[in-house]
């Protein structure tokens, strides 16, 4: 089977209805309105939009659902929603609000059976499992609760289990790279891609188009960024131009 075209994904980290961005998951700054930004990135040629409610609580759930509905009705590209999804019912609510896919993180670790339930109920193509990995004493370790809680889980074993349970994609975030602008952790991405056949989305550390080139050459199937796009340092279309110049197949803008 031929390899799918490499995907450029823009992430909207949302808190209280606004897009925010920090460094290593801290020091969040307001970056704008999620609906306006989503429309702008679609026009630039983004292949997908990822919406992560990083301050999700029960009190904010209605607000988040309203925001998702408003974003979804303005998009024609795939739209993934994550953050605070803890049950099958939560997944149903966000898919009903207009999401094409859902992303699980903490809930997947705490209730792995939920992966199986969603894959069976909606299909693997609808389920992304987000995995936050940090380096602890030069070892990779899985974190949950927005990157605040270590789990002592081995990421490679966890990715294998997630794949076996029926997830369609892995959003693999290198926390130690997040917001640093130092590029993706391509050693990590290469190791994961060599060991698994599931689609891997690289996340954490991008600051320019070359970072996307490097991670796709390392084996990543898709790559996600936020700050570099929000700050206007480059555009999705310029990233894709660079990828094409480097013989990496992408969907044209």
């Amino acid at each position: 089977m031929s390899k799918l075209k490499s995907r450029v994904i823009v992430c909207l980290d949302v808190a209280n209805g606004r897009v925010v961005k920090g460094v290593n998951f801290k020091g969040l700054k307001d970056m704008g309105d999620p609906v306006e930004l989503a429309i702008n990135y679609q026009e630039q040629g983004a292949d997908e939009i990822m919406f992560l409610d990083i301050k999700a609580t029960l009190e904010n759930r209605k607000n988040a659902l309203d925001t998702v509905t408003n974003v979804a009705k303005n998009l024609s590209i795939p739209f993934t929603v994550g953050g605070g999804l803890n049950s099958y019912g939560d997944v149903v609510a966000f898919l009903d609000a207009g999401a094409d896919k859902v992303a699980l993180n903490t809930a997947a670790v705490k209730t792995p059976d939920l992966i199986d339930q969603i894959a069976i109920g909606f299909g693997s193509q609808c389920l992304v499992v987000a995995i936050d990995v940090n380096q602890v004493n030069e070892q990779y370790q899985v974190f949950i609760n927005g990157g605040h809680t270590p789990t002592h889980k081995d990421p490679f074993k966890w990715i294998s289990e997630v794949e076996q349970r029926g997830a369609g994609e892995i959003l693999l975030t290198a926390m130690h790279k997040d917001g640093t602008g130092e590029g993706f952790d391509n050693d990590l991405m290469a190791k994961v891609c060599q060991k698994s056949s599931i689609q891997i989305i690289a996340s954490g550390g991008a600051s320019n188009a070359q970072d996307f080139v490097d991670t796709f050459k390392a084996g990543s199937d898709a790559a996600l960024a936020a700050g570099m796009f929000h700050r206007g340092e480059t555009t999705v279309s310029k990233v894709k131009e660079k990828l094409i110049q480097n013989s990496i197949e992408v969907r044209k803008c």
Side-chain angles (χ1 to χ4, degrees):
M1 188 173 70
S2 62
K3 182 177 170 68
L4 298 172
K5 290 183 178 179
S6 300
R7 289 173 290 145
V8 176
I9 301 173
V10 181
C11 184
L12 307 180
D13 292 317
V14 178
N16 303 315
R18 299 287 294 178
V19 175
V20 296
K21 189 63 187 130
V23 176
N24 301 129
F25 289 30
K26 298 174 183 176
L28 301 178
K29 296 181 180 179
D30 187 290
M31 304 303 287
D33 176 73
V35 177
E36 291 176 5
L37 288 173
I39 293 170
N40 180 33
Y41 294 134
Q42 176 173 265
E43 291 173 349
Q44 288 181 22
D47 294 304
E48 300 183 21
I49 298 291
M50 180 88 65
F51 174 108
L52 298 179
D53 187 351
I54 60 173
K55 295 282 189 180
T57 65
L58 289 175
E59 292 78 20
N60 285 333
R61 177 51 51 83
K62 186 178 185 304
N63 181 34
L65 283 168
D66 288 344
T67 305
V68 167
T69 300
N70 289 334
V71 172
K73 68 185 181 184
N74 286 285
L75 291 182
S76 58
I77 57 176
F79 178 41
T80 303
V81 176
L85 305 185
N86 298 309
S87 69
Y88 193 84
D90 292 340
V91 171
V92 172
F94 278 98
L95 292 174
D96 284 347
D100 298 296
K101 308 178 195 176
V102 292
L104 299 183
N105 190 329
T106 301
V109 172
K110 291 184 174 180
T111 317
D113 286 348
L114 188 56
I115 300 171
D116 305 69
Q117 293 168 19
I118 296 167
I120 292 168
F122 296 102
S124 296
Q125 81 290 339
C126 149
L127 177 57
V128 180
V129 172
I131 301 177
D132 295 332
V133 174
N134 208 346
Q135 284 185 317
V136 181
N137 299 322
E138 298 185 1
Q139 296 292 316
Y140 290 118
Q141 195 174 120
V142 176
F143 279 64
I144 57 173
N145 296 323
H148 295 292
T149 308
T151 67
H152 306 292
K153 267 186 174 294
D154 176 271
F156 302 102
K157 292 179 181 177
W158 177 228
I159 288 167
S160 178
E161 180 180 342
V162 164
E163 183 175 0
Q164 290 169 6
R165 286 181 177 274
E169 299 175 74
I170 300 288
L171 170 61
L172 187 57
T173 299
M175 290 175 56
H176 47 286
K177 292 281 193 173
D178 182 72
T180 64
E182 297 172 352
F184 298 102
D185 185 341
N186 292 320
D187 288 339
L188 173 62
M189 301 306 160
K191 287 176 185 175
V192 169
C193 293
Q194 286 165 9
K195 293 182 178 183
S196 61
S197 58
I198 192 171
Q199 290 272 301
I200 303 296
I201 304 168
S203 171
S207 66
N208 56 57
Q210 185 62 43
D211 291 334
F212 280 76
V213 173
D214 294 341
T215 202
F216 288 134
K217 287 188 173 179
S220 300
D221 300 287
L224 172 149
M228 61 183 266
F229 294 127
H230 300 337
R231 292 187 294 269
E233 293 163 5
T234 190
T235 63
V236 176
S237 56
K238 287 180 180 177
V239 169
K240 286 193 168 184
E241 286 172 11
K242 182 77 169 180
L243 293 171
I244 291 168
Q245 288 167 8
N246 284 269
S247 302
I248 295 169
E249 288 195 25
V250 295
R251 299 181 185 119
K252 292 184 179 178
C253 301

